[in-house]
Amino acid sequence: MHSLALAILLSLHSPLFAASPEYKVVGPLTQHFQDWLKSNGYTEDFVRADHKVTQGSYGGKTSDAQNVTRTPVIMIHGNSDAALRQTFGFNSFAGWENTIDYFLQQGYTSAELYATSWGDTNQMKAEMRRHDCKTVQFLRRFMEAVKAYTGSEKVHIIAHSMGVTLGRKITLGGKIQATDGNCDIGVPYRYVDVFVGISGANYGLCNCAGMVGDFEPTCSKDDGFWPGDSCGMNKNDCGASKLPYPCNGPDKYSKFLSDLNADMSQLAQRVFSAWSNADDLIMHHTNTWGKSTCLMPRSTDTKSKEKTYEDQYKWVNRLD
């Protein structure tokens, strides 16, 4: 697929779209959390004030007196999105605006809801983003910071699109061989209670098949979404609804995804794989060499329908 076409597809992929004339949720991280981060040696830019000043992050206590009574929820956005909505109009992402707004209406506080932006929001650079060391280490540190700051025994993770595979890696830990170098994310993170993965490309994207994997960074055969070019005797029909020969996934695909899926560690106590069969980026009814690429290995629950922030609330609160 041509880079421009792929970028447009990636940039349009958001189930959190909103066209409200004003922000429903405004960040960034509270000053209380910012002060704690600084005093505890965190030098990463989790605030992301470069994203419309207030919209690059969310979460934190308003004072020492505020208690954390619910398991904190960490939200990881997808490619070209951000923690909160940046702009208005037809082709605008809402980030986690709708989810956070709904959770607040159900009694959550900013001390229990967290998000930071990784990468930039330039939609025309969507094809440039990979599962690189810099991004994964940044998100791992954020997850660790939230747990330490809140003092909670567990955290929940809600992730969307590329955030799913990034979120799985920061949880499972281990090594990465990426274009920005080799790194070790650390030991498996055993403190995730519920992991919700919405429309992730866990076995790659059929749009990245063929020679695209050699030229588009986000389709990289090393740390991108290359889905492989065959599955047994099946050739060149990655997204077919029914393959002519028996097949249970690609023979060979992105090294990052292969290593991730080969890790037999349990991601969380409860793992939700959620997707829509009419997904505008993944396409092909989410089929990738005979299986849904949105289905995370070792999921405990699957939901194949349009997803909303109400569903996300039910899942992390074990109401569904």
Side-chain angles (χ1 to χ4, degrees), residues 40-315:
N40 283 274
Y42 289 88
T43 59
E44 294 86 354
D45 180 17
F46 296 137
V47 175
R48 295 306 304 271
D50 56 316
H51 285 10
K52 301 293 182 181
V53 182
T54 63
Q55 304 304 96
S57 59
Y58 185 87
K61 302 177 185 179
T62 55
S63 70
D64 288 334
Q66 188 174 18
N67 294 320
V68 177
T69 61
R70 302 172 187 249
T71 300
V73 181
I74 300 171
M75 288 158 271
I76 306 174
H77 65 77
N79 194 346
S80 295
D81 208 343
L84 297 173
R85 181 151 51 84
Q86 304 288 299
T87 58
F88 302 91
F90 175 75
N91 191 22
S92 63
F93 285 174
W96 296 105
E97 180 184 70
N98 291 331
T99 297
I100 292 173
D101 181 56
Y102 184 80
F103 275 55
L104 291 173
Q105 292 179 39
Q106 308 311 309
Y108 276 77
T109 70
S110 63
E112 297 154 344
L113 301 170
Y114 293 85
T116 187
S117 301
W118 57 268
D120 59 49
T121 58
N122 187 334
Q123 298 174 12
M124 301 314 295
K125 292 184 179 179
E127 78 277 10
M128 301 301 295
R129 301 189 183 95
R130 307 170 183 253
H131 302 92
D132 55 36
C133 287
K134 179 182 179 182
T135 303
V136 178
Q137 289 174 322
F138 175 82
L139 290 171
R140 171 79 174 216
R141 287 277 284 173
F142 185 67
M143 178 174 65
E144 293 171 341
V146 169
K147 183 180 182 300
Y149 171 68
T150 59
S152 178
E153 292 184 2
K154 298 282 187 177
V155 297
H156 299 316
I157 291 179
I158 302 177
H160 170 242
S161 191
M162 192 170 179
V164 175
T165 40
L166 288 168
R168 289 178 61 203
K169 188 59 182 179
I170 68 173
T171 303
L172 294 174
K175 298 179 180 179
I176 300 177
Q177 295 178 16
T179 48
D180 63 342
N182 299 334
C183 57
D184 193 333
I185 305 306
V187 300
Y189 197 77
R190 305 296 188 188
Y191 305 105
V192 179
D193 184 26
V194 178
F195 189 109
V196 177
I198 305 168
S199 300
N202 298 283
Y203 292 91
L205 293 168
C206 285
N207 293 325
C208 286
M211 295 182 64
V212 179
D214 294 318
F215 299 104
E216 302 294 352
T218 204
C219 293
S220 167
K221 295 180 178 181
D222 295 318
D223 53 2
F225 288 107
W226 182 60
D229 291 328
S230 64
C231 188
M233 296 177 66
N234 300 284
K235 311 287 184 182
N236 303 317
D237 49 7
C238 172
S241 58
K242 185 177 182 181
L243 296 170
Y245 305 102
C247 171
N248 188 33
D251 294 331
K252 183 179 180 181
Y253 55 111
S254 159
K255 177 171 173 48
F256 177 88
L257 296 178
S258 297
D259 291 346
L260 194 62
N261 294 336
D263 190 326
M264 299 301 291
S265 303
Q266 184 60 23
L267 191 61
Q269 291 296 310
R270 196 172 188 188
V271 181
F272 274 94
S273 287
W275 66 88
S276 165
N277 284 325
D279 192 285
D280 56 2
L281 167 63
I282 296 174
M283 303 170 67
H284 311 293
H285 297 283
T286 78
N287 289 315
T288 302
W289 294 115
K291 65 196 312 178
S292 173
T293 191
C294 298
L295 178 59
M296 292 180 287
R298 292 166 291 284
S299 292
T300 59
D301 299 86
T302 61
K303 302 291 180 180
S304 174
K305 64 183 182 69
E306 294 291 343
K307 304 304 172 298
T308 67
Y309 35 87
E310 291 98 334
D311 292 317
Q312 297 164 29
Y313 174 81
K314 289 178 181 178
W315 297 335

Side-chain angles (χ1 to χ4, degrees), residues 28-38 47 59-63 149:
L29 301 179
T30 64
Q31 191 61 51
H32 188 278
F33 189 19
Q34 291 184 46
D35 291 342
W36 182 92
L37 288 166
K38 184 177 180 180
V47 175
K61 302 177 185 179
T62 55
S63 70
Y149 171 68

